[in-house]
C-alpha cells in the first residue's frame, strides 16, 4: 500500500474560543492510503496544541511511514500495532492512518464502515452543537440559529458563566452540556454543578485539571450531574486509571489514535460501568464520519466539528433530526467537494 | 434470519479427567443461522456443568430465540446486545449464536473471520495440548504421543502432582502449563509455584477458588510464575475485578458468551497490563475455529478441544508447526465431514 498526505486548511464559520485559545482557521492533515487494487482510503488528522501537535508535527510523524510491506489493508490490527510506537503520545497522525485503513477495508468489502463495526447507522444518538465563547449578544444569536439541534454544548470557565447560560436559556430549553476545559478548582466545580443542575444541564465535561484524580473522585461523589473526563481520558490506559474518578469519558479519535483504540476505550468504560461520550476537534467530514461510525455505541454524541467550518471539502454525512448519520456508501462513503485539493507524498 | 439447532454428541479419544469430574463423551449443541440470501453461519455451544449448563439448558435457552426481525447479520453488535439479557449467566447458548452470526457476516463479505478482526491467520501462537489426569503409565504414553506440540498442559490438584510432572518430564522438555482448577489453598499454591518453576512450568491456571481475590492477589505478588485466572474470569466485568489479583486471564468463548465479549475482555486485560490466554472446552472444529480467529491477539493459546475428540463433524482447521490455524475460506471456513448430521428447529 502507498500513503500520501496533504495539509487541509479549514475556515471556521465563527471565531472559536475556549478557555485556552481563540482561532478563525485550523490546519488539519488529510491522509490517503491506496492498496494494490487501487482502492483508496482517507483519514484526517486534527492536531491540537494542547496535545503538542500541529500540522507540521503530524507531517513529520507521517512522512516516514512506509506501508509498502503491506499489500492489503485487512491485517489492520497488526499494521496499526506496528506503527503505534513511532507515534508515541503524538497520536493524531496515527488516527488519520487508522481512519484511512478502516475506510479502505470497508470499501474493499463493499459495506459502510458503521456496518463493519456491527452497528446500524440509524442508531446514532443526536449530536450536541457547540455554542462557542462569545459576547452575550453573539451567544443569543448563535443559540437562536441552532434550533435544529436536540442538545447544545457550551464552553464555560470564564467570568461570565452565569450570564452565558442565562443568554442560552432565553432562546433554548434543550439539554445543555457544559465543557469547562479544566478551568475550575474543586471548590468552584462543587458550586457550579449545583447551579448547573437547576439550569437543565445534562453533564459537565472536564471541570478540573486533567491529572487531579482525587479532585475528580470527590467531585463525582458529590455531583448531581455526570462528570465526564476529556483531557484526562486520552487512551485505554487512562480509562482504567479513571475508574471511580468520573461518571464517564469523552473519546476523540484524534486524541486516542483512531478507531481501534476508541473501540477499546468503549469496551473498558462499559465494563467499568462508565458512560461514554464521543467527541471531536474542528474536523472535516472525514474525521467526523469515522467517529460517527462508532456513535451507536455511545451515550453522548458531540460530533459537530464539520458543522463549525465553511469549507468542508467532502460530502457524505447527513444531519437527520439532530443526528449526524454516516453515509450508506462503502467505507466512510465520502465524495470530494473540491477535486482540486492535492494529495502529495 | 432463521435459527436452527441440533444436539452434537462428541466422543473423546481418551477418558477426560480434571479435579472435578471424568467423562468419555460430551454433548454440545450446534447452531445454524440462515439469512435472507440463504447464506448459513454455524456456531457451537459447549455447555459445562461447572457453569450450570447442559445441552438441555442450552436448547431451552435457544429454542425461543427469534431472529426473524433481523433480515441481515451485519448489525450483530445490536442483535447480540438484544439477546444477552435472555441468556443471563448461562452464556454458552449465546456464544453459539454469536459464532454463527460472525461466521455468516464474514461469509457474506467473502473473507475469513480472522481477517474480519483485522488479524493474520499465520500470526496464531502455538497451542498447548492437554495431558489429562490418568495413571502415570498413561501419562507417559500420552506425553510421548504429543510430540507434535510445542507446549503441554496438565491438570494438577490431586495427590500425585509431583509424580505426574516427573512422568511428563521423562518424555518431554517443552514448556508446561499447569491447570489446578481451583484445587489448592493459598498455602499449597505458594509451595507449588516454587517447585513448578523449577520444573520448567510456564504458567499456573486458577490455583485458588474462583472468588478468592485476596488469595490470588497475595499469590500473584509472591509467584515466580504467571498466575492466570480461568474460573474467576467469565466476563468483561470479571476482568475489571481481577485487576491486580492475577497476571492474566483465560478467555473461553463458551464461558463469556462469544467473540464480541471475548474481544472486550482482551481489550480490558491489555489496558490493565494483563496477559491473555485463549482456552476452550471439549469442542468440535466449530467452536475452536471461532476462538482461533482471535488467537493472534493473545499470549497463550490453549485450543486443543477438537484434538481430544474422535468424531469432529467438521474440517477446515489445520495444525501447522503446533499452531491451530483457522481456514483461509470465508467465515469460519468449515465443511461438514458428516452431511447426515441433522439441524432441526
Amino acid at each position: 500500500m502507498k500513503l500520501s498526505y496533504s495539509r487541509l486548511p479549514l475556515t471556521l464559520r465563527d471565531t472559536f474560543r475556549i478557555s485556552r485559545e481563540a482561532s478563525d482557521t485550523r490546519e488539519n492533515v488529510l491522509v490517503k492510503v491506496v492498496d494494490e487494487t487501487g482502492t483508496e482510503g482517507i483519514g484526517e488528522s486534527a492536531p491540537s496544541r494542547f496535545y503538542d501537535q500541529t500540522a507540521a508535527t503530524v507531517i513529520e510523524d507521517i512522512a516516514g511511514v512506509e506501508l509498502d510491506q503491506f499489500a492489503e489493508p485487512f491485517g489492520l490490527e497488526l499494521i496499526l500495532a506496528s506503527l503505534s510506537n513511532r507515534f508515541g503520545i503524538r497520536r493524531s497522525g496515527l488516527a488519520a492512518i487508522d481512519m484511512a485503513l478502516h475506510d479502505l477495508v470497508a470499501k474493499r468489502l463493499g459495506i459502510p464502515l458503521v456496518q463493519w463495526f456491527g452497528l446500524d447507522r440509524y442508531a446514532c444518538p443526536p449530536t450536541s452543537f457547540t455554542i462557542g465563547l462569545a459576547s452575550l449578544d453573539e451567544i443569543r444569536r448563535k443559540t437562536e440559529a441552532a434550533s435544529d439541534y436536540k442538545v447544545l454544548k457550551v464552553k464555560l470557565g470564564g467570568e461570565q458563566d452565569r450570564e452565558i447560560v442565562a443568554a442560552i436559556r432565553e432562546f433554548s430549553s434543550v439539554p445543555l452540556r457544559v465543557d469547562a476545559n479544566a478551568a475550575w478548582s474543586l471548590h468552584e466545580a462543587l458550586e457550579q454543578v449545583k447551579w448547573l443542575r437547576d439550569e437543565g444541564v445534562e453533564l459537565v465535561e472536564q471541570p478540573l485539571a486533567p491529572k487531579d484524580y482525587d479532585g475528580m473522585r470527590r467531585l463525582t461523589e458529590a455531583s448531581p450531574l455526570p462528570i465526564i473526563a476529556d483531557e484526562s481520558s486520552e487512551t485505554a490506559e487512562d480509562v482504567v486509571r479513571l475508574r471511580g474518578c468520573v461518571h464517564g469519558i469523552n473519546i476523540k479519535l484524534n486524541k486516542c489514535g483512531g478507531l481501534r483504540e476508541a473501540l477499546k476505550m468503549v469496551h473498558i468504560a462499559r465494563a467499568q460501568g462508565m458512560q461514554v461520550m464521543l467527541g471531536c476537534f474542528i474536523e472535516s467530514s472525514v474525521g467526523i464520519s469515522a467517529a460517527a461510525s462508532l456513535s451507536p455505541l455511545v451515550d453522548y454524541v458531540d460530533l459537530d466539528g464539520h458543522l463549525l467550518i465553511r469549507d468542508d471539502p467532502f460530502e457524505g454525512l447527513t444531519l437527520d433530526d439532530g443526528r449526524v448519520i454516516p453515509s450508506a456508501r462503502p467505507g466512510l462513503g465520502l465524495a470530494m467537494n473540491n477535486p482540486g485539493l492535492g494529495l502529495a507524498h
Side-chain angles (χ1 to χ4, degrees), chain A:
Chain A
M1 296 186 289
K2 292 288 179 194
L3 180 78
S4 55
Y5 56 85
S6 68
R7 288 173 186 255
L8 179 64
L10 300 172
T11 311
L12 301 183
R13 288 189 186 279
D14 296 302
T15 300
F16 189 80
R17 289 188 184 85
I18 63 172
S19 59
R20 287 186 296 264
E21 57 183 321
S23 54
D24 291 305
T25 59
R26 286 291 164 106
E27 193 171 50
N28 287 356
V29 177
L30 194 64
V31 163
K32 186 170 75 172
V33 177
V34 184
D35 76 3
E36 58 182 3
T37 69
T39 309
E40 294 180 5
I42 52 174
E44 180 175 8
S45 168
S48 162
R49 282 204 189 81
F50 182 73
Y51 296 106
D52 291 328
Q53 289 159 90
T54 62
T57 71
V58 167
I59 286 172
E60 189 184 314
D61 293 338
I62 288 177
V65 170
E66 288 288 347
L67 295 179
D68 303 53
Q69 59 181 304
F70 306 107
E72 296 244 286
F74 293 109
L76 77 176
E77 176 82 30
L78 303 172
I79 297 171
L80 290 165
S82 78
L83 294 180
S84 71
N85 277 347
R86 167 185 205 93
F87 287 89
I89 61 167
R90 296 200 321 207
R91 287 176 287 265
S92 176
L94 181 62
I97 298 173
D98 167 289
M99 293 177 205
L101 288 172
H102 281 86
D103 184 28
L104 182 47
V105 162
K107 275 183 186 149
R108 284 284 301 274
L109 298 175
I111 54 172
L113 184 57
V114 64
Q115 207 170 77
W116 192 74
F117 285 118
L119 302 169
D120 176 343
R121 57 195 281 268
Y122 287 110
C124 299
T127 185
S128 55
F129 181 80
T130 297
I131 307 293
L133 290 185
S135 72
L136 295 175
D137 276 347
E138 278 180 87
I139 284 173
R140 289 187 187 93
R141 178 186 62 74
K142 288 179 178 189
T143 304
E144 197 170 12
S147 60
D148 283 350
Y149 300 96
K150 308 292 178 191
V151 190
L152 294 178
K153 172 168 162 174
V154 64
K155 308 275 191 173
L156 297 184
E159 298 300 311
Q160 286 201 298
D161 287 355
R162 285 175 186 255
E163 292 81 354
I164 290 166
V165 171
I168 291 170
R169 281 295 178 236
E170 284 175 40
F171 288 91
S172 174
S173 59
V174 300
L176 184 62
R177 297 175 189 161
V178 163
D179 186 354
N181 286 116
W184 293 332
S185 68
L186 174 60
H187 178 75
E188 287 167 333
L190 285 165
E191 287 301 305
Q192 296 281 37
V193 291
K194 280 185 261 177
W195 158 65
L196 292 169
R197 178 206 40 203
D198 297 336
E199 291 288 347
V201 166
E202 187 180 33
L203 58 82
V204 178
E205 234 183 296
Q206 196 68 43
L208 307 181
K211 297 202 183 298
D212 184 4
Y213 299 107
D214 184 56
M216 284 188 271
R217 190 183 297 273
R218 290 163 66 190
L219 177 61
T220 292
E221 280 166 13
S223 174
L225 296 177
I227 304 297
I228 307 294
D230 179 7
E231 286 86 340
S232 305
S233 161
E234 291 185 45
T235 64
E237 283 72 19
D238 292 329
V239 186
V240 171
R241 195 173 298 124
L242 287 166
R243 183 181 174 207
C245 297
V246 290
H247 296 96
I249 54 159
N250 185 345
I251 299 171
K252 296 174 181 170
L253 302 187
N254 267 281
K255 194 171 56 165
C256 70
L259 289 153
R260 293 195 96 70
E261 183 76 7
L263 192 61
K264 292 173 191 177
M265 294 173 79
V266 171
H267 292 159
I268 297 162
R270 293 306 191 193
Q272 294 183 167
M274 290 162 79
Q275 298 182 333
V276 181
M277 183 170 184
L278 192 58
C280 63
F281 295 95
I282 301 289
E283 300 172 39
S284 80
S285 283
V286 178
I288 301 297
S289 292
S293 300
L294 288 181
S295 73
L297 288 176
V298 311
D299 305 297
Y300 307 115
V301 172
D302 178 29
L303 294 178
D304 62 352
H306 64 309
L307 303 168
L308 303 173
I309 56 175
R310 294 179 193 280
D311 48 0
D312 192 340
F314 291 90
E315 63 183 10
L317 283 170
T318 50
L319 190 68
D320 174 4
D321 201 25
R323 300 173 303 160
V324 174
I325 309 279
S327 170
R329 295 191 295 256
L332 295 175
L334 297 172
M336 197 177 259
N337 281 327
N338 176 3
L341 196 71
L343 273 163
H345 192 136

